[in-house]
Amino acid sequence: MFNFNLRKSDIFQAVKWERNPIFRYARFLKILFFILFFITFLISLYGFLTEKAFTKNFLEVWTIFLILSFVSFLNEAFFNSKLKKPKIRFSIEEAIIEPERYNLAQFLSFEVARAINRSLNFARSRGIPQVNSSILLYFLLKDNPKLNFVFLRLILDLKGIQKLLEEKLEYLKGEGNKFPGFGKDFQEAIFQSFKISKEKGHLKVILGDLLSALSKQEPILKKILIGTNLKAEDIENLTWWQENLEEEKSNIEGELKKLE
């Protein structure tokens, strides 16, 4: 039994609310309102120093912009720290041992959950009864440019791969009107991604884990790897390297913030 229900997982709330203007434009509005606050504050300060009457109302204006900037900051922080990172109450190892006991979608990162959700929506819009590994890989690559690093290092034509996947998706049509299920290769990719995630010591399945798993399941990517004398392990090693680089960068940025 493949126990996988994205809509009943905690991470689905982030996927659901991502496109809401409140969160979608939070970062942009935070910066915009802060710039407007800074400009109006300087004008207000200039008026205070020169006793210009026209600048008196700017005190209220820059206060409003400051509040709006702070509210946008809180919206962004709430989305990134709460919605995108829900607490996982069980370990991936437990899910591997008894997969039928847990909703496997609970163990997905935001980026992975988003790719699966868009795969489901695509299949449903086409009447396709099951989501397969090709649909999943297409949306995983389309929405996550950070994976470009892996293909660039392996000297693989990412745009060419995306085009081949897109052409394959064009032929996928059905007549169903129910919510799609999951093909065998999709299920195998999910199970494989859990094993890779466990080996790397991750608390949840992240982009590199799923990409590595799909390189062993998705027909187009498998064929390209064979044709270029590459292996799925090459992708797995590169994703691991990328994750280590990102972790080191994050640690350095954290130490710099402590010194400020």
Side-chain angles (χ1 to χ4, degrees):
M1 177 183 175
F2 186 59
N3 187 4
F4 190 97
N5 192 325
L6 181 60
R7 289 178 176 270
K8 290 186 177 181
S9 67
D10 295 333
I11 193 61
F12 184 70
Q13 294 303 314
V15 175
K16 178 182 176 181
W17 286 100
E18 178 197 15
R19 293 188 173 277
N20 188 292
I22 294 176
F23 299 115
R24 185 178 185 182
Y25 301 111
R27 179 175 178 80
F28 169 77
L29 291 175
K30 177 188 71 175
I31 297 172
L32 174 64
F33 288 137
F34 184 80
I35 292 173
L36 292 173
F37 150 73
F38 187 70
I39 293 173
T40 52
F41 175 78
L42 290 179
I43 294 174
S44 180
L45 181 62
Y46 170 76
F48 175 78
L49 295 175
T50 60
E51 297 185 352
K52 299 288 184 179
F54 77 92
T55 61
K56 290 182 179 180
N57 293 331
F58 276 89
L59 175 61
E60 296 178 358
V61 176
W62 70 253
T63 303
I64 292 172
F65 283 139
L66 179 60
I67 293 172
L68 290 174
S69 178
F70 183 66
V71 170
S72 298
F73 165 77
L74 291 178
N75 286 338
E76 181 187 28
F78 175 75
F79 184 80
N80 290 332
S81 62
K82 295 295 183 181
L83 291 182
K84 287 180 68 173
K85 298 178 180 179
K87 290 184 179 179
I88 298 177
R89 295 178 289 275
F90 305 97
S91 69
I92 280 185
E93 186 174 4
E94 290 176 286
I96 292 174
I97 296 172
E98 297 181 282
E100 68 285 346
R101 182 181 174 186
Y102 304 96
N103 177 9
L104 300 182
Q106 286 284 110
F107 299 86
L108 305 179
S109 68
F110 169 73
E111 292 81 7
V112 170
R114 179 178 59 185
I116 292 176
N117 185 58
R118 294 186 178 178
S119 300
L120 286 165
N121 290 337
F122 171 82
R124 191 174 190 180
S125 68
R126 294 289 190 92
I128 302 169
Q130 291 185 331
V131 177
N132 60 31
S133 59
S134 297
I135 297 175
L136 178 54
L137 179 61
Y138 175 76
F139 285 100
L140 192 75
L141 298 179
K142 181 180 180 181
D143 298 325
N144 298 289
K146 68 189 308 183
L147 293 177
N148 295 358
F149 171 87
V150 175
F151 292 87
L152 183 63
R153 285 285 178 177
L154 293 175
I155 318 178
L156 292 174
D157 182 9
L158 177 58
K159 290 185 178 180
I161 294 173
Q162 289 176 310
K163 186 176 181 180
L164 289 172
L165 288 168
E166 191 171 351
E167 290 173 353
K168 182 175 181 178
L169 265 57
E170 284 296 318
Y171 289 99
L172 295 177
K173 293 182 181 180
E175 298 179 355
N177 55 8
K178 295 182 180 180
F179 202 78
F182 303 100
K184 185 177 179 180
D185 57 343
F186 177 99
Q187 297 181 37
E188 290 297 329
I190 294 297
F191 285 132
Q192 187 67 37
S193 70
F194 270 64
K195 294 176 182 178
I196 294 171
S197 181
K198 175 180 173 279
E199 290 173 1
K200 292 181 178 180
H202 295 159
L203 298 177
K204 53 190 172 184
V205 175
I206 63 175
L207 285 174
D209 303 332
L210 185 55
L211 178 62
S212 299
L214 285 169
S215 67
K216 301 177 181 179
Q217 297 294 330
E218 201 286 315
I220 291 176
L221 185 54
K222 283 175 62 178
K223 184 177 180 180
I224 289 174
L225 290 177
I226 293 173
T228 52
N229 294 319
L230 293 170
K231 299 178 181 179
E233 287 73 17
D234 295 319
I235 287 183
E236 187 173 343
N237 291 335
L238 270 174
T239 58
W240 204 333
W241 182 28
Q242 182 184 27
E243 290 156 13
N244 288 334
L245 290 176
E246 290 177 352
E247 185 177 356
E248 289 179 9
K249 180 182 177 181
S250 179
N251 291 337
I252 292 173
E253 289 176 348
E255 291 299 323
L256 291 175
K257 286 182 179 180
K258 291 181 181 179
L259 295 175
E260 292 178 355

